[in-house]
Coordinates of all heavy atoms in Angstrom, one line a residue:
M9 N 0.8 -1.2 0.0 CA 0.0 0.0 0.0 C 0.9 1.2 0.0 O 1.8 1.4 0.8 CB -0.9 0.0 1.2 CG -1.8 1.2 1.3 SD -2.9 1.1 2.7 CE -3.8 -0.3 2.5
R10 N 0.6 2.2 -0.9 CA 1.4 3.4 -1.0 C 0.8 4.5 -0.2 O -0.4 4.7 -0.3 CB 1.5 3.8 -2.5 CG 2.4 3.0 -3.3 CD 2.6 3.6 -4.6 NE 3.3 4.9 -4.4 CZ 4.3 5.3 -5.1 NH1 4.7 4.6 -6.1 NH2 4.8 6.5 -4.9
S11 N 1.5 5.1 0.6 CA 1.0 6.3 1.3 C 1.8 7.5 1.0 O 1.6 8.6 1.6 CB 1.0 6.0 2.8 OG 2.4 5.7 3.3
D12 N 2.8 7.4 0.1 CA 3.7 8.5 -0.2 C 3.2 9.3 -1.4 O 3.9 10.3 -1.7 CB 5.1 8.0 -0.4 CG 5.2 7.0 -1.5 OD1 4.2 6.4 -1.9 OD2 6.3 6.9 -2.1
V13 N 2.1 9.0 -1.9 CA 1.5 9.7 -3.1 C 0.8 11.0 -2.5 O 0.0 10.9 -1.7 CB 0.6 8.9 -3.9 CG1 -0.1 9.7 -5.0 CG2 1.3 7.7 -4.5
T14 N 1.2 12.1 -3.0 CA 0.6 13.4 -2.7 C 0.0 14.0 -4.0 O 0.8 14.3 -4.9 CB 1.5 14.4 -2.0 OG1 2.1 13.7 -0.8 CG2 0.8 15.6 -1.6
L15 N -1.3 14.1 -4.1 CA -1.9 14.7 -5.2 C -2.1 16.2 -5.0 O -2.4 16.7 -3.9 CB -3.2 14.1 -5.5 CG -3.2 12.6 -5.8 CD1 -4.5 12.0 -5.9 CD2 -2.4 12.3 -7.1
T16 N -1.9 17.0 -6.1 CA -2.1 18.5 -6.0 C -3.0 18.9 -7.2 O -3.4 18.1 -8.0 CB -0.7 19.2 -6.1 OG1 -0.2 19.0 -7.4 CG2 0.2 18.7 -5.1
E17 N -3.3 20.2 -7.2 CA -4.1 20.8 -8.3 C -3.4 20.5 -9.7 O -4.0 20.5 -10.7 CB -4.3 22.2 -8.1 CG -5.3 22.5 -7.0 CD -5.6 24.0 -6.8 OE1 -5.0 24.8 -7.5 OE2 -6.3 24.3 -5.8
D18 N -2.1 20.3 -9.7 CA -1.3 20.0 -10.9 C -1.8 18.7 -11.5 O -1.6 18.5 -12.7 CB 0.2 20.0 -10.7 CG 0.8 21.3 -10.3 OD1 0.1 22.4 -10.7 OD2 1.8 21.4 -9.7
D19 N -2.4 17.8 -10.7 CA -2.9 16.5 -11.2 C -4.3 16.6 -11.9 O -4.7 15.7 -12.5 CB -2.9 15.5 -10.1 CG -1.4 15.3 -9.6 OD1 -0.6 15.0 -10.5 OD2 -1.2 15.3 -8.4
E20 N -4.9 17.8 -11.8 CA -6.3 17.9 -12.4 C -6.1 17.8 -13.9 O -5.2 18.3 -14.5 CB -6.9 19.3 -12.0 CG -7.2 19.3 -10.5 CD -7.8 20.7 -10.1 OE1 -8.0 21.6 -11.0 OE2 -8.1 20.8 -8.9
G21 N -7.1 17.1 -14.5 CA -7.0 16.9 -15.9 C -6.3 15.6 -16.4 O -6.4 15.3 -17.6
K22 N -5.6 15.0 -15.5 CA -4.9 13.7 -15.9 C -5.8 12.6 -16.0 O -6.8 12.5 -15.3 CB -3.8 13.4 -14.8 CG -2.7 14.3 -14.8 CD -1.6 13.9 -13.8 CE -0.5 14.9 -13.8 NZ 0.6 14.5 -12.8
N23 N -5.5 11.7 -17.0 CA -6.2 10.5 -17.1 C -5.9 9.5 -16.0 O -4.8 9.5 -15.4 CB -5.9 9.8 -18.4 CG -6.4 10.4 -19.6 OD1 -7.5 11.0 -19.6 ND2 -5.7 10.3 -20.7
V24 N -6.9 8.8 -15.6 CA -6.7 7.7 -14.6 C -6.8 6.4 -15.3 O -7.8 6.1 -16.0 CB -7.8 7.8 -13.5 CG1 -7.6 6.6 -12.5 CG2 -7.8 9.1 -12.8
V25 N -5.8 5.6 -15.2 CA -5.7 4.3 -15.9 C -5.6 3.2 -14.9 O -5.0 3.3 -13.9 CB -4.6 4.3 -17.0 CG1 -4.7 5.4 -18.0 CG2 -3.2 4.4 -16.3
N26 N -6.2 2.0 -15.3 CA -6.1 0.8 -14.5 C -4.7 0.2 -14.7 O -3.9 0.6 -15.5 CB -7.3 -0.1 -14.6 CG -7.4 -0.7 -16.0 OD1 -6.4 -0.7 -16.8 ND2 -8.5 -1.2 -16.4
A27 N -4.5 -0.9 -14.0 CA -3.2 -1.6 -14.1 C -2.9 -2.2 -15.5 O -1.8 -2.4 -15.9 CB -3.1 -2.7 -13.1
D28 N -4.0 -2.4 -16.3 CA -3.8 -2.9 -17.7 C -3.6 -1.7 -18.7 O -3.4 -2.0 -19.9 CB -5.0 -3.7 -18.1 CG -5.2 -4.9 -17.2 OD1 -4.2 -5.5 -16.9 OD2 -6.3 -5.3 -16.9
G29 N -3.6 -0.5 -18.2 CA -3.4 0.6 -19.1 C -4.7 1.2 -19.7 O -4.6 2.1 -20.6
D30 N -5.8 0.7 -19.3 CA -7.1 1.2 -19.9 C -7.5 2.5 -19.1 O -7.5 2.5 -17.9 CB -8.2 0.2 -19.7 CG -7.9 -1.1 -20.5 OD1 -7.3 -1.0 -21.6 OD2 -8.2 -2.2 -20.0
T31 N -7.9 3.5 -19.8 CA -8.4 4.7 -19.2 C -9.7 4.5 -18.6 O -10.7 4.0 -19.2 CB -8.5 5.9 -20.2 OG1 -7.2 6.1 -20.8 CG2 -9.0 7.2 -19.6
V32 N -9.8 4.8 -17.3 CA -11.1 4.6 -16.6 C -11.7 5.9 -16.1 O -12.8 5.9 -15.5 CB -10.9 3.6 -15.4 CG1 -10.4 2.3 -15.8 CG2 -9.8 4.2 -14.4
G33 N -11.1 7.0 -16.3 CA -11.6 8.3 -15.9 C -10.6 9.4 -16.0 O -9.5 9.2 -16.5
R34 N -11.0 10.6 -15.6 CA -10.2 11.8 -15.6 C -10.3 12.5 -14.3 O -11.4 12.6 -13.8 CB -10.5 12.7 -16.7 CG -9.6 13.9 -16.9 CD -10.0 14.8 -18.0 NE -9.9 14.1 -19.3 CZ -8.8 13.9 -20.0 NH1 -7.7 14.3 -19.6 NH2 -8.9 13.3 -21.2
V35 N -9.2 13.0 -13.7 CA -9.3 13.8 -12.5 C -9.9 15.2 -12.8 O -9.4 15.9 -13.7 CB -7.9 14.0 -11.9 CG1 -7.9 14.9 -10.7 CG2 -7.2 12.6 -11.6
T36 N -11.0 15.5 -12.1 CA -11.7 16.7 -12.4 C -11.3 17.8 -11.3 O -11.3 19.0 -11.6 CB -13.2 16.6 -12.3 OG1 -13.6 16.0 -11.1 CG2 -13.7 15.7 -13.5
S37 N -10.9 17.3 -10.1 CA -10.4 18.3 -9.1 C -9.6 17.5 -8.1 O -9.8 16.3 -7.9 CB -11.6 19.0 -8.5 OG -12.4 18.1 -7.7
V38 N -8.8 18.3 -7.4 CA -8.1 17.7 -6.2 C -8.3 18.7 -5.0 O -8.1 19.9 -5.1 CB -6.5 17.6 -6.5 CG1 -5.8 17.1 -5.3 CG2 -6.3 16.7 -7.7
E39 N -8.8 18.1 -4.0 CA -9.1 18.9 -2.8 C -8.5 18.2 -1.6 O -8.8 17.0 -1.4 CB -10.6 19.1 -2.6 CG -11.3 19.8 -3.7 CD -12.8 19.8 -3.6 OE1 -13.3 19.4 -2.5 OE2 -13.4 20.3 -4.5
H40 N -7.7 18.9 -0.8 CA -7.0 18.3 0.4 C -6.3 17.0 0.1 O -6.3 16.1 0.8 CB -8.1 18.1 1.5 CG -8.9 19.3 1.8 ND1 -8.4 20.4 2.3 CD2 -10.2 19.5 1.5 CE1 -9.4 21.3 2.4 NE2 -10.5 20.8 1.9
G41 N -5.6 17.0 -1.1 CA -4.8 15.8 -1.5 C -5.6 14.6 -2.0 O -5.1 13.6 -2.3
K42 N -6.9 14.8 -2.2 CA -7.8 13.7 -2.7 C -8.3 14.1 -4.0 O -8.8 15.2 -4.3 CB -9.0 13.5 -1.7 CG -8.6 13.2 -0.3 CD -8.7 11.8 0.0 CE -8.5 11.6 1.5 NZ -8.1 10.3 1.8
A43 N -8.1 13.2 -5.0 CA -8.6 13.4 -6.4 C -10.0 13.0 -6.5 O -10.5 12.0 -5.9 CB -7.7 12.6 -7.3
H44 N -10.8 13.8 -7.3 CA -12.1 13.5 -7.6 C -12.1 13.1 -9.1 O -11.6 13.9 -9.9 CB -13.1 14.6 -7.3 CG -13.1 15.0 -5.9 ND1 -14.0 14.4 -5.0 CD2 -12.3 15.8 -5.2 CE1 -13.7 14.9 -3.8 NE2 -12.8 15.7 -3.9
V45 N -12.6 11.9 -9.4 CA -12.5 11.3 -10.7 C -13.8 11.2 -11.4 O -14.8 10.7 -10.8 CB -11.8 9.9 -10.7 CG1 -11.7 9.3 -12.1 CG2 -10.4 10.0 -10.1
D46 N -14.0 11.7 -12.6 CA -15.1 11.5 -13.4 C -14.9 10.3 -14.3 O -14.0 10.2 -15.1 CB -15.4 12.7 -14.3 CG -16.7 12.6 -15.1 OD1 -17.2 11.6 -15.2 OD2 -17.1 13.7 -15.7
P47 N -15.7 9.2 -14.1 CA -15.5 8.0 -14.8 C -15.8 8.0 -16.3 O -15.4 7.2 -17.0 CB -16.3 7.0 -14.1 CG -17.4 7.8 -13.5 CD -16.8 9.1 -13.1
D48 N -16.5 9.1 -16.7 CA -16.9 9.2 -18.1 C -17.0 10.6 -18.5 O -18.1 11.2 -18.7 CB -18.3 8.5 -18.3 CG -18.7 8.5 -19.8 OD1 -17.8 8.5 -20.7 OD2 -19.9 8.4 -20.1
P49 N -15.8 11.3 -18.6 CA -15.8 12.7 -18.8 C -16.2 13.0 -20.3 O -15.8 12.4 -21.2 CB -14.4 13.2 -18.6 CG -13.6 11.9 -18.9 CD -14.5 10.8 -18.4
G50 N -17.1 14.0 -20.5 CA -17.4 14.5 -21.8 C -16.4 15.5 -22.2 O -15.5 15.9 -21.4
L51 N -16.5 16.1 -23.4 CA -15.6 17.1 -23.9 C -15.6 18.3 -23.0 O -14.5 18.8 -22.6 CB -16.0 17.5 -25.3 CG -15.0 18.5 -26.0 CD1 -13.6 18.0 -26.0 CD2 -15.5 18.8 -27.4
A52 N -16.7 18.8 -22.6 CA -16.8 20.0 -21.7 C -16.1 19.7 -20.4 O -15.3 20.6 -19.9 CB -18.2 20.4 -21.5
D53 N -16.3 18.6 -19.8 CA -15.7 18.2 -18.5 C -14.2 18.2 -18.7 O -13.4 18.6 -17.8 CB -16.2 16.9 -18.0 CG -17.7 17.0 -17.5 OD1 -18.1 18.1 -17.2 OD2 -18.3 15.9 -17.5
T54 N -13.7 17.6 -19.8 CA -12.3 17.4 -20.0 C -11.6 18.8 -20.1 O -10.6 19.0 -19.5 CB -12.1 16.6 -21.3 OG1 -12.6 15.3 -21.1 CG2 -10.6 16.5 -21.6
I55 N -12.2 19.7 -20.9 CA -11.7 21.0 -21.0 C -11.7 21.8 -19.7 O -10.7 22.4 -19.3 CB -12.5 21.8 -22.1 CG1 -12.2 21.2 -23.5 CG2 -12.1 23.3 -22.1 CD1 -13.2 21.7 -24.6
R56 N -12.8 21.7 -18.9 CA -12.8 22.4 -17.6 C -11.7 21.9 -16.7 O -11.1 22.6 -16.0 CB -14.2 22.2 -17.0 CG -15.2 23.1 -17.4 CD -16.4 23.2 -16.5 NE -17.1 21.9 -16.4 CZ -18.1 21.5 -17.2 NH1 -18.5 22.2 -18.1 NH2 -18.6 20.3 -17.0
S57 N -11.5 20.5 -16.7 CA -10.5 20.0 -15.8 C -9.1 20.4 -16.2 O -8.2 20.7 -15.4 CB -10.6 18.5 -15.6 OG -10.4 17.8 -16.8
K58 N -8.8 20.4 -17.5 CA -7.5 20.8 -18.0 C -7.2 22.3 -17.7 O -6.1 22.7 -17.5 CB -7.4 20.6 -19.5 CG -7.3 19.1 -19.9 CD -6.3 18.9 -20.9 CE -6.2 17.5 -21.2 NZ -5.0 16.8 -20.7
L59 N -8.3 23.1 -17.6 CA -8.1 24.5 -17.3 C -8.2 24.8 -15.8 O -8.1 25.9 -15.3 CB -9.2 25.4 -18.0 CG -9.2 25.4 -19.5 CD1 -10.4 26.1 -20.0 CD2 -7.9 26.1 -19.9
G60 N -8.4 23.7 -15.0 CA -8.4 23.9 -13.5 C -9.8 24.4 -13.1 O -9.9 24.9 -11.9
W61 N -10.8 24.2 -13.9 CA -12.1 24.7 -13.5 C -13.0 23.6 -13.0 O -14.2 23.8 -12.9 CB -12.8 25.4 -14.7 CG -12.1 26.6 -15.3 CD1 -11.2 27.3 -14.7 CD2 -12.4 27.2 -16.5 NE1 -10.8 28.3 -15.5 CE2 -11.5 28.3 -16.6 CE3 -13.3 26.9 -17.6 CZ2 -11.5 29.1 -17.7 CZ3 -13.2 27.8 -18.7 CH2 -12.4 28.8 -18.7
G62 N -12.5 22.4 -12.7 CA -13.3 21.3 -12.4 C -13.9 21.4 -11.0 O -13.4 22.1 -10.1
D63 N -15.0 20.8 -10.9 CA -15.7 20.8 -9.6 C -16.1 19.3 -9.3 O -16.4 18.5 -10.2 CB -17.1 21.5 -9.6 CG -16.8 23.0 -9.7 OD1 -15.9 23.5 -9.1 OD2 -17.6 23.7 -10.4
A64 N -16.0 19.0 -8.0 CA -16.5 17.6 -7.6 C -18.0 17.7 -7.5 O -18.6 18.6 -7.0 CB -15.9 17.3 -6.2
D65 N -18.6 16.7 -8.1 CA -20.1 16.6 -8.0 C -20.5 15.1 -7.8 O -19.6 14.3 -7.5 CB -20.7 17.2 -9.3 CG -20.4 16.4 -10.5 OD1 -20.1 15.2 -10.5 OD2 -20.4 17.0 -11.6
E66 N -21.8 14.9 -7.8 CA -22.3 13.6 -7.5 C -21.9 12.5 -8.5 O -22.0 11.3 -8.2 CB -23.8 13.6 -7.3 CG -24.5 13.9 -8.6 CD -24.7 15.4 -9.0 OE1 -24.3 16.2 -8.2 OE2 -25.2 15.7 -10.1
D67 N -21.4 12.9 -9.7 CA -21.0 11.9 -10.7 C -19.5 11.5 -10.5 O -19.0 10.7 -11.3 CB -21.2 12.4 -12.1 CG -22.7 12.6 -12.4 OD1 -23.5 11.9 -11.8 OD2 -23.1 13.5 -13.1
N68 N -18.8 12.2 -9.6 CA -17.4 11.9 -9.4 C -17.2 11.0 -8.3 O -18.0 10.9 -7.4 CB -16.6 13.3 -9.2 CG -16.6 14.1 -10.4 OD1 -16.8 13.7 -11.5 ND2 -16.3 15.4 -10.2
Y69 N -16.0 10.3 -8.3 CA -15.6 9.4 -7.2 C -14.3 9.9 -6.7 O -13.4 10.3 -7.4 CB -15.5 8.0 -7.8 CG -16.8 7.5 -8.3 CD1 -17.2 7.7 -9.7 CD2 -17.8 6.9 -7.5 CE1 -18.4 7.3 -10.1 CE2 -19.0 6.5 -8.0 CZ -19.3 6.7 -9.3 OH -20.5 6.3 -9.8
Q70 N -14.2 9.7 -5.3 CA -12.9 10.1 -4.7 C -11.9 9.0 -4.8 O -12.3 7.8 -4.6 CB -13.2 10.4 -3.2 CG -12.0 11.0 -2.5 CD -12.4 11.5 -1.1 OE1 -13.2 12.3 -1.0 NE2 -11.7 10.9 -0.1
L71 N -10.7 9.3 -5.2 CA -9.6 8.4 -5.4 C -8.7 8.4 -4.2 O -8.1 9.5 -3.9 CB -8.9 8.7 -6.7 CG -7.7 7.8 -7.0 CD1 -8.2 6.3 -7.2 CD2 -7.0 8.3 -8.3
D72 N -8.6 7.4 -3.5 CA -7.7 7.3 -2.3 C -6.3 7.0 -2.7 O -6.0 6.2 -3.6 CB -8.2 6.2 -1.4 CG -7.5 6.2 -0.1 OD1 -7.7 7.1 0.7 OD2 -6.7 5.2 0.1
A73 N -5.3 7.6 -2.1 CA -3.9 7.5 -2.4 C -3.4 6.0 -2.3 O -2.6 5.6 -3.1 CB -3.0 8.3 -1.5
S74 N -4.1 5.2 -1.5 CA -3.6 3.8 -1.4 C -4.0 3.0 -2.6 O -3.5 1.9 -2.8 CB -4.3 3.2 -0.1 OG -5.7 3.1 -0.3
S75 N -4.9 3.5 -3.5 CA -5.2 2.9 -4.7 C -4.3 3.2 -5.9 O -4.4 2.6 -7.0 CB -6.6 3.3 -5.1 OG -7.6 2.9 -4.1
I76 N -3.4 4.1 -5.7 CA -2.5 4.6 -6.7 C -1.2 3.9 -6.7 O -0.5 3.8 -5.7 CB -2.3 6.2 -6.6 CG1 -3.6 6.9 -6.7 CG2 -1.3 6.7 -7.6 CD1 -3.6 8.4 -6.3
E77 N -0.8 3.4 -7.9 CA 0.5 2.8 -8.1 C 1.6 3.9 -8.4 O 2.7 3.9 -7.9 CB 0.4 1.8 -9.3 CG 1.8 1.1 -9.6 CD 2.3 0.3 -8.4 OE1 1.5 -0.3 -7.7 OE2 3.5 0.2 -8.3
S78 N 1.2 4.8 -9.4 CA 2.2 5.8 -9.8 C 1.5 7.0 -10.4 O 0.3 6.9 -10.8 CB 3.2 5.3 -10.8 OG 2.5 4.9 -12.0
V79 N 2.2 8.1 -10.4 CA 1.7 9.4 -11.0 C 2.8 9.9 -11.9 O 3.9 10.0 -11.5 CB 1.4 10.5 -9.9 CG1 0.9 11.8 -10.5 CG2 0.4 9.9 -8.9
S80 N 2.4 10.1 -13.2 CA 3.4 10.7 -14.1 C 2.9 12.0 -14.6 O 1.9 12.5 -14.1 CB 3.5 9.7 -15.4 OG 2.3 9.7 -16.1
D81 N 3.5 12.6 -15.6 CA 3.1 13.9 -16.1 C 1.8 13.9 -16.8 O 1.1 14.9 -16.8 CB 4.1 14.4 -17.1 CG 5.5 14.8 -16.5 OD1 5.5 15.0 -15.3 OD2 6.5 14.9 -17.2
N82 N 1.4 12.7 -17.3 CA 0.1 12.6 -18.1 C -1.0 11.7 -17.4 O -2.1 11.8 -17.9 CB 0.4 12.0 -19.4 CG 1.4 12.9 -20.2 OD1 1.3 14.1 -20.2 ND2 2.4 12.2 -20.8
E83 N -0.6 10.9 -16.5 CA -1.7 10.0 -16.0 C -1.4 9.5 -14.5 O -0.3 9.7 -14.0 CB -1.7 8.7 -16.9 CG -0.5 7.8 -16.8 CD -0.6 6.6 -17.7 OE1 -1.3 6.7 -18.7 OE2 0.1 5.7 -17.4
I84 N -2.5 9.0 -13.9 CA -2.4 8.4 -12.6 C -2.7 6.9 -12.9 O -3.8 6.6 -13.4 CB -3.4 9.0 -11.7 CG1 -3.0 10.5 -11.4 CG2 -3.5 8.3 -10.3 CD1 -4.0 11.3 -10.6
R85 N -1.8 6.0 -12.5 CA -2.0 4.6 -12.7 C -2.4 3.9 -11.4 O -1.8 4.2 -10.4 CB -0.7 4.0 -13.2 CG -0.9 2.5 -13.6 CD 0.3 1.9 -14.3 NE 0.5 2.5 -15.6 CZ -0.1 2.1 -16.7 NH1 -0.8 1.0 -16.7 NH2 0.1 2.7 -17.9
L86 N -3.5 3.2 -11.5 CA -4.0 2.5 -10.3 C -3.3 1.2 -10.0 O -2.8 0.5 -10.9 CB -5.5 2.2 -10.5 CG -6.4 3.5 -10.7 CD1 -7.8 3.0 -11.0 CD2 -6.3 4.4 -9.6
R87 N -3.3 0.8 -8.8 CA -2.8 -0.5 -8.4 C -3.7 -1.6 -8.9 O -4.8 -1.5 -9.1 CB -2.7 -0.6 -6.9 CG -1.8 0.4 -6.2 CD -1.9 0.4 -4.7 NE -1.4 -0.9 -4.2 CZ -0.2 -1.3 -4.1 NH1 0.8 -0.4 -4.4 NH2 0.2 -2.4 -3.5
R88 N -3.1 -2.8 -9.1 CA -3.8 -4.0 -9.5 C -4.6 -4.5 -8.3 O -4.4 -4.4 -7.2 CB -2.8 -5.1 -9.9 CG -3.6 -6.2 -10.6 CD -2.6 -7.2 -11.3 NE -2.0 -6.6 -12.4 CZ -2.5 -6.5 -13.7 NH1 -3.8 -6.8 -13.8 NH2 -1.8 -6.0 -14.7

């Protein structure tokens, strides 16, 4: 279990991929180190999150740091 992952607003707009490399969502916002992920972002949501205008809403899911394998410049990869 990883506890050293710290998410910031810089991670907003990144794709979230599973261990097999399949995109499962996009980070719409990061609040208090917790990412909020839209599992099916539309074009408008994608643009808003890339611009840092994302909001957490009822369609988003909170991503816990213990579920994250790694964070790169373009994506957040989930643990298997």
Side-chain angles (χ1 to χ4, degrees):
M9 181 180 299
R10 289 189 61 136
S11 60
D12 60 337
V13 174
T14 302
L15 299 174
T16 68
E17 289 181 2
D18 291 338
D19 295 310
E20 291 178 3
K22 290 184 180 179
N23 286 329
V24 178
V25 299
N26 64 18
D28 296 324
D30 299 322
T31 300
V32 296
R34 182 178 303 275
V35 176
T36 57
S37 67
V38 177
E39 297 173 7
H40 309 293
K42 304 260 186 202
H44 298 272
V45 178
D46 184 345
D48 185 23
L51 181 59
D53 291 335
T54 299
I55 292 170
R56 276 197 299 272
S57 66
K58 289 225 180 253
L59 293 173
W61 298 347
D63 289 325
D65 62 28
E66 66 277 355
D67 296 330
N68 290 341
Y69 298 91
Q70 187 170 301
L71 180 61
D72 187 72
S74 65
S75 300
I76 298 172
E77 178 65 32
S78 63
V79 178
S80 71
D81 290 341
N82 301 317
E83 68 183 23
I84 295 174
R85 184 169 295 268
L86 301 176
R87 298 175 60 79
R88 188 168 296 281

